[in-house]
C-alpha cells in the first residue's frame, strides 16, 4: 500500500452483513474474499493517510471499514426514496452545505444514477453525511478530517461527461498529489 498514491473502491455485489453484524439475506449475492480485501485496503489507506474514493459498494465499504453498518434493503427502509436501477441520471440528491463534497461539486441538487440495494445506516467513526436523496437515504459520506475519503452511492464513472462528476475524480487525484 505504500507505493499507492490513492485508492478507488468500485461497485459490485452486496457487502456481507457478517462484516457489520447484520442479518444474512437469502437473495444477497456476496463475495467474502473481495469484502475482506477491500476492508483491509480501505483501512490501510486511511491509516497511511492515502485518499480514498468509494463508488456505490465502495461508499458502503468505506463506511463499514470505519465501523459503520448498512441497510441491506435500503429501499425497504426508505420508502420515499425512488429506486431507479439505471446508469442514466434519474435520481436527484441534495449535497449538504459545508461538506467537502460541496466544495468539490457545489451545493446545487445533483442528478445521478442509482444501481444500489444497500445504503449507509449508522455512520462509521470519523465520517459524516455529505448528500441525501429526497427520501432521506444517505447518498454520500466523507471523512470530516484528513486524509481525503469520499464515498458516493452513485456511479460517476458512467456520468463522466458531467463536470461535477469529473470533479470527484479530480479531487482524488489532487489529494493523492499532496
Amino acid at each position: 500500500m505504500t507505493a499507492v498514491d490513492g485508492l478507488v473502491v468500485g461497485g459490485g455485489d452486496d457487502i456481507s452483513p457478517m462484516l457489520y453484524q447484520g442479518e444474512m439475506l437469502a437473495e444477497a449475492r456476496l463475495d467474502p474474499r473481495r469484502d475482506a480485501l477491500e476492508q483491509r485496503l480501505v483501512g490501510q489507506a486511511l491509516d497511511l493517510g492515502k485518499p480514498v474514493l468509494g463508488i456505490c459498494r465502495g461508499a458502503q465499504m468505506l463506511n463499514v471499514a470505519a465501523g459503520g453498518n448498512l441497510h441491506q434493503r435500503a429501499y425497504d427502509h426508505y420508502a420515499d426514496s425512488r429506486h431507479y436501477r439505471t446508469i442514466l441520471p434519474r435520481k436527484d440528491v441534495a449535497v449538504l452545505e459545508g461538506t467537502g463534497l460541496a466544495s468539490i461539486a457545489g451545493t446545487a441538487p445533483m442528478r445521478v444514477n442509482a444501481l444500489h440495494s444497500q445504503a449507509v445506516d449508522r455512520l462509521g467513526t470519523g465520517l459524516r453525511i455529505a448528500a441525501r436523496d429526497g427520501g432521506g437515504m444517505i447518498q454520500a459520506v466523507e471523512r470530516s478530517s484528513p486524509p481525503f475519503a469520499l464515498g458516493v452511492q452513485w456511479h460517476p464513472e458512467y456520468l463522466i461527461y458531467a463536470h461535477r462528476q469529473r470533479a470527484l475524480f479530480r479531487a482524488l487525484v489532487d489529494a493523492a498529489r499532496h
Side-chain angles (χ1 to χ4, degrees):
M1 181 59 78
T2 57
V4 173
D5 294 324
L7 178 66
V8 176
V9 181
D13 292 333
D14 288 350
I15 295 172
S16 173
M18 303 300 283
L19 294 182
Y20 55 90
Q21 293 73 48
E23 173 188 331
M24 188 63 73
L25 299 176
E27 73 273 11
R29 287 186 8 204
L30 306 176
D31 187 345
R33 292 189 319 183
R34 180 179 177 188
D35 289 345
L37 173 67
E38 289 179 348
Q39 186 177 33
R40 187 177 76 249
L41 290 174
V42 170
Q44 287 176 351
L46 295 177
D47 288 346
L48 293 170
K50 307 286 185 170
V52 176
L53 175 61
I55 296 172
C56 195
R57 172 194 158 91
Q60 298 159 14
M61 182 54 76
L62 175 62
N63 188 61
V64 169
N69 70 357
L70 305 175
H71 291 294
Q72 289 176 265
R73 291 183 177 138
Y75 291 94
D76 289 352
H77 186 79
Y78 291 99
D80 292 335
S81 291
R82 299 290 307 264
H83 192 193
Y84 290 108
R85 288 208 56 85
T86 178
I87 63 170
L88 300 174
R90 298 201 48 218
K91 183 178 203 106
D92 290 321
V93 299
V95 177
L96 302 181
E97 290 188 28
T99 61
L101 179 58
S103 67
I104 294 166
T107 57
M110 285 181 116
R111 177 67 54 116
V112 300
N113 51 33
L115 296 171
H116 60 95
S117 58
Q118 295 182 316
V120 170
D121 177 15
R122 182 179 36 81
L123 287 173
T125 303
L127 296 180
R128 67 182 175 191
I129 299 167
R132 290 185 183 269
D133 69 14
M137 187 186 303
I138 296 171
Q139 294 294 320
V141 295
E142 63 185 23
R143 282 187 51 103
S144 50
S145 61
F148 172 90
L150 172 64
V152 297
Q153 194 62 72
W154 61 90
H155 286 265
E157 73 275 20
Y158 293 131
L159 307 171
I160 206 71
Y161 56 85
H163 74 279
R164 295 173 76 195
Q165 303 303 322
R166 288 192 310 273
L168 304 178
F169 295 101
R170 193 169 23 265
L172 173 72
V173 170
D174 290 345
R177 284 188 179 135
H178 297 96

